[in-house]
Amino acid sequence: MTTAKRRISRLLAIALPALLLAVPARATVTTGTPTALHSDTDGEAQADRQAVSREIERFRTSSISISQAMAIAEARHAGATTADVSFDGAAGVPVYRVKTLHNDRIWRHTINATTGELVGGEAALPVAELDLDDRSNLAALGAIRHRLADAVHVAERAASGKAISGGLVREGGRLNFAIVVISGDDLKEVLLEPPGARGK
């Protein structure tokens, strides 16, 4: 995988291990080139911007929204909760990569962004095999009543756009939802601090 693709993957796939959300106590919207797209040379920066532009264009032409992709993945297992979601337009067919939590397992789903169909099979990983931080974040997910879908709706309203990825991030010891939203020609990162998340 090239450096540019790795950076795009980090930005658009935000590898976030888990989540939790209530109505946010604080929402922060950041506009501009996300840190993951800054590079040391102009050539790399230009290639990164072009790759992001292609990814955004593929996202805009997809008929399935991120919320629909989460609902499709969650419907595979009654009671499942989405832990992480991202759009991937680099493949031949644009897809959403959705991770759900159900029965102490993380299920990985690939949802066709045009048809909403499941691509390939499902893969599951026992939560016990994750590192301590990931397990801690997933435990926090079970302690709240709200879902990533709630965070996506709040972020889309706050940033006036459509979410392309989302999950949980720990920043300064605090657990926040981080949602990347496409608003016009900008990528905006919305951080939502759920009430009560400080002690989680």
Side-chain angles (χ1 to χ4, degrees), residues 9-25:
S9 293
R10 273 185 259 148
L11 170 69
L12 297 176
I14 301 181
L16 304 170
L19 36 155
L20 55 110
L21 172 77
V23 177

Side-chain angles (χ1 to χ4, degrees), residues 16-37:
L16 304 170
L19 36 155
L20 55 110
L21 172 77
V23 177
R26 184 184 68 185
T28 305
V29 180
T30 307
T31 306
T33 305
T35 307
L37 291 183

Side-chain angles (χ1 to χ4, degrees), residues 86-156:
S86 62
F87 177 81
D88 181 356
V93 175
V95 297
Y96 288 98
R97 309 232 181 251
V98 186
K99 295 178 185 172
T100 60
L101 175 64
H102 183 256
N103 287 343
D104 293 324
R105 291 185 179 278
I106 292 290
W107 294 86
R108 295 180 182 165
H109 313 275
T110 303
I111 308 295
N112 184 308
T114 303
T115 65
E117 295 173 349
L118 186 67
V119 177
E122 297 176 307
L125 177 69
V127 171
E129 293 183 17
L130 300 174
D131 68 29
L132 181 61
D133 287 341
D134 291 346
R135 287 194 314 268
S136 172
N137 290 345
L138 289 171
L141 177 62
I144 58 151
R145 61 183 170 168
H146 298 283
R147 301 157 64 93
L148 181 58
D150 300 321
V152 165
H153 293 302
V154 170
E156 287 178 337

Side-chain angles (χ1 to χ4, degrees), residues 129-196:
E129 293 183 17
L130 300 174
D131 68 29
L132 181 61
D133 287 341
D134 291 346
R135 287 194 314 268
S136 172
N137 290 345
L138 289 171
L141 177 62
I144 58 151
R145 61 183 170 168
H146 298 283
R147 301 157 64 93
L148 181 58
D150 300 321
V152 165
H153 293 302
V154 170
E156 287 178 337
R157 283 195 308 271
S160 301
K162 292 291 183 190
I164 191 168
S165 69
L168 189 68
V169 63
R170 203 172 278 277
E171 217 174 79
R174 293 182 178 167
L175 213 47
N176 295 296
F177 277 110
I179 311 295
V180 176
V181 176
I182 296 174
S183 179
D185 292 331
D186 293 324
L187 287 175
K188 297 181 179 180
E189 182 179 50
V190 180
L191 293 178
L192 301 168
E193 181 185 335

Side-chain angles (χ1 to χ4, degrees), residues 6 36 56 62 65 72 139 144 163 173 196:
R6 274 192 292 268
I56 289 171
S62 297
S65 71
I72 291 165
I144 58 151

